[in-house]
Structure formats: structure tokens, C-alpha cells
Amino acid sequence: MTLDPARLRKIPVFADLEEDELRNIAALVGETSVPEGKELVRQGDYSYDVLAIEEGTASVERHGAHIADLGPGDVVGEMGVLERSQRNATVRATSPMRLVTLTGWDVRRLRKTAPKAIGHLRGVVAERRASA
């Protein structure tokens, strides 16, 4: 079942994409719900998925120290997927969450069908690098 593209538009990294790009992404994404306390990603693991937060909140830790809080519209895992690197932080749900997910394979497919979305993800990576 394809996700409603209007739901994607509420996530900033996808917000200003063309309708056809949104439809391409909506056809690929998965969605999942996780309970409070669930570890979404672990520092040092390899990154295979990009997670966009649709509902809920999460805490980000690096080497055991709290470094950020995330909420609706934030994206996790893009750095590892785009750069094929290890995760540089652990992210844990601090409330029940609904996530939109893209696999690394899907992200590679989107380079052709929705290059602007990949450009946005690269921008998010650059911002995180600058503030890290």
C-alpha cells in the first residue's frame, strides 16, 4: 500500500518536492510504529535505513552523553546511508513514535527518480557535520 504523499509533505526534507517526486518516494517508503524506550539506531552500527519521524519524540546520545532531542519532521540515519558509514549516535524513542522508513536501496533508486530529495538529505548531512 502506498503512503499518502500529503503525509510526506509534512516532513521538511520532502516538503518542497514536486508531486511526481513525492509519489515516487511514497511508493517506496515503509512505515512503522515503535514504543517508548525502543532503540531506533545504535552508535557504531552500520546504517541501512533512513527514518523520518512522523509522530513522537526521540533522544540522541553520543558516547553516552545526551546531545539532541528529535521530533516530528526530523530525519535519522541519512548520514550513514548516503556515506555508507557507521552510525555516529544512538537514538532512542522517548514517546511512542510513527516513522516513515526508506532503505538504503530505496535511497539509491531515488537518486534517479527524486534527485531533489537526495539533495535535501545531503543538505541535512552537511548541517549536522557543521554543528557536530
Side-chain angles (χ1 to χ4, degrees):
M1 189 173 102
T2 300
L3 188 78
D4 179 356
R7 285 173 55 193
L8 285 178
R9 194 165 294 286
K10 294 177 183 161
I11 299 169
V13 76
F14 303 125
D16 62 347
L17 298 179
E18 304 295 328
E19 285 300 319
D20 61 327
E21 288 182 303
L22 274 180
R23 279 193 300 276
N24 284 333
I25 295 167
L28 294 175
V29 298
E31 57 181 316
T32 187
S33 295
V34 298
E36 180 177 351
K38 169 91 171 148
E39 190 174 86
L40 304 177
V41 303
R42 179 179 301 197
Q43 184 174 349
D45 285 355
Y46 279 91
S47 186
Y48 300 105
D49 298 302
V50 175
L51 309 172
I53 300 171
E54 193 171 20
E55 293 175 5
T57 56
S59 172
V60 183
E61 295 177 2
R62 187 174 293 137
H63 306 297
H66 177 266
I67 58 168
D69 291 304
L70 302 176
D74 287 323
V75 178
V76 175
E78 75 296 327
M79 201 177 281
V81 167
L82 289 173
E83 300 179 353
R84 295 186 183 167
S85 62
Q86 289 172 286
R87 297 192 186 273
N88 65 6
T90 296
V91 179
R92 187 179 320 279
T94 54
S95 74
M97 299 179 78
R98 189 162 67 183
L99 304 168
V100 173
T101 64
L102 275 171
T103 67
W105 175 250
D106 293 334
V107 169
R108 286 190 285 287
R109 287 173 56 189
L110 289 173
R111 287 187 176 132
K112 292 185 179 88
T113 60
K116 194 189 291 183
I118 301 306
H120 283 316
L121 286 173
R122 289 194 187 287
V124 170
V125 169
E127 284 175 34
R128 293 223 176 122
R129 288 240 183 273
S131 65

